[in-house]
Amino acid sequence: MAKKFSSFWIIYKDIILEIKTKEIIIPFLIFSFLLIVFISFSIQNREFSPFIFWLSFLFSGIISLSRYTVKEANGGFKGLLILPIDRESIFIGKTISLTLFLFLSGIFLYFLFLIFLNFPFSLKIFLYFLIILFFTSFSFSSLGILISFLAMGTRAKEFFLPLIIIPLFIPPFISAISLTNKVLSNEKFLSPYLYILIFFSLLYFFLNQVLFEEILID
C-alpha cells in the first residue's frame, strides 16, 4: 500500500511540475510538428506515413527526455533519494508519468499526422492507434527513465541518450510502424507485431525496474 501511495505521489508531483514548466510536452510538440511538416512536404507517398509518424515520435521523445534529464539532474533526483520511499516506487512513478506525457503528446501528433497527410478520420482506426501508442509510449518510457538516470553521471548527456535508446528501441519501433501500416490498410490488427510490442513493453519495464535499483545502489 505504501509503495502504491509513493508511486502515486511521484506521478502527482510530475504532473504538477509539467503543468507549470511544460518541459516535456512543449519540446515534444514543437520538434515533432516541425519534423512532420518538413518530411510531409518532401515525401508525399502515404506508404511512408507510419514511418514518418513514429520517427517523429522517437526523436521528439529523445528531445523531451533530454530536458527531463536536465531537470532531474538539477536537484530533483537528489530530493527523491532523501525521501523515505523505496527505489522501485521511484521507477514506477517516473515511468507512468512519462508514459502519460508521451501518450497525450502522441494523440496531438496523430491529428497533425491526419492534417498534413490528408488521411480521413476513422474512430476504429483511432482506437487501434491508441493501443499502439500506449504500448510504444510505455516501452519508450521504461527505457528512457533508466537511461536518463544513467546519463546523469556522464558529461555528454545529449549524446549518451540517443546512442543507447535508439538501438534498444528498434523492436518496438518496427512493430509500431508495421501495426500502423496494418491499421491504415484495414488489415488484421491481431498480428505477431502486436505481441512483439506488448512483449518488449513488459520486458523493458520489469528488466529496467531491477536494473534501476542496482544503479541507485551503486
Side-chain angles (χ1 to χ4, degrees):
M1 186 68 181
K3 183 185 298 184
K4 292 181 179 179
F5 178 77
S6 300
S7 299
F8 176 79
W9 181 86
I10 292 174
I11 297 169
Y12 174 77
K13 177 188 71 68
D14 285 348
I15 291 175
I16 296 299
L17 286 176
E18 182 61 23
I19 292 174
K20 292 180 179 179
T21 61
K22 301 176 179 63
E23 290 186 346
I24 297 177
I25 293 180
I26 294 301
F28 183 100
L29 295 180
I30 292 176
F31 186 80
S32 59
F33 173 76
L34 295 175
L35 197 59
I36 276 193
V37 169
F38 289 138
I39 296 179
S40 62
F41 279 111
S42 59
I43 302 177
Q44 297 295 329
N45 193 337
R46 289 188 177 183
E47 294 181 0
F48 294 100
S49 54
F51 174 76
I52 296 173
F53 178 89
W54 291 112
L55 185 67
S56 302
F57 179 91
L58 174 59
F59 283 104
S60 302
I62 292 174
I63 294 295
S64 300
L65 194 59
S66 298
R67 295 295 305 152
Y68 177 85
T69 304
V70 171
K71 180 180 68 174
E72 292 294 337
N74 290 334
F77 176 57
K78 293 181 180 179
L80 284 177
L81 293 180
I82 296 174
L83 296 175
I85 56 178
D86 57 277
R87 307 305 185 239
E88 184 180 353
S89 297
I90 297 176
F91 176 80
I92 294 174
K94 290 292 183 181
T95 301
I96 293 176
S97 60
L98 184 59
T99 299
L100 177 62
F101 299 146
L102 293 179
F103 183 75
L104 295 177
S105 301
I107 293 176
F108 181 81
L109 185 60
Y110 173 80
F111 287 103
L112 289 178
F113 172 76
L114 294 181
I115 294 171
F116 284 99
L117 294 175
N118 298 318
F119 270 100
F121 178 78
S122 169
L123 182 59
K124 179 181 178 181
I125 292 177
F126 181 64
L127 292 177
Y128 283 147
F129 172 78
L130 291 181
I131 297 174
I132 303 172
L133 178 61
F134 171 76
F135 285 106
T136 307
S137 301
F138 185 67
S139 60
F140 183 88
S141 300
S142 299
L143 274 175
I145 292 300
L146 176 72
I147 296 172
S148 63
F149 279 97
L150 274 174
M152 290 180 191
T154 64
R155 294 183 179 179
K157 298 180 181 64
E158 293 79 8
F159 177 75
F160 185 82
L161 282 171
L163 181 67
I164 303 299
I165 289 180
I166 292 176
L168 293 175
F169 195 66
I170 287 177
F173 180 72
I174 295 176
S175 300
I177 294 173
S178 302
L179 282 171
T180 307
N181 264 320
K182 289 182 176 296
V183 168
L184 293 177
S185 303
N186 292 319
E187 297 181 17
K188 189 177 180 181
F189 181 67
L190 294 177
S191 69
Y193 289 109
L194 177 61
Y195 305 134
I196 291 173
L197 181 59
I198 295 174
F199 170 76
F200 275 95
S201 299
L202 298 177
L203 176 66
Y204 289 156
F205 179 76
F206 290 112
L207 181 62
N208 291 333
Q209 183 178 349
V210 175
L211 294 176
F212 186 80
E213 295 182 6
E214 293 297 326
I215 290 171
L216 296 188
I217 292 174
D218 295 337

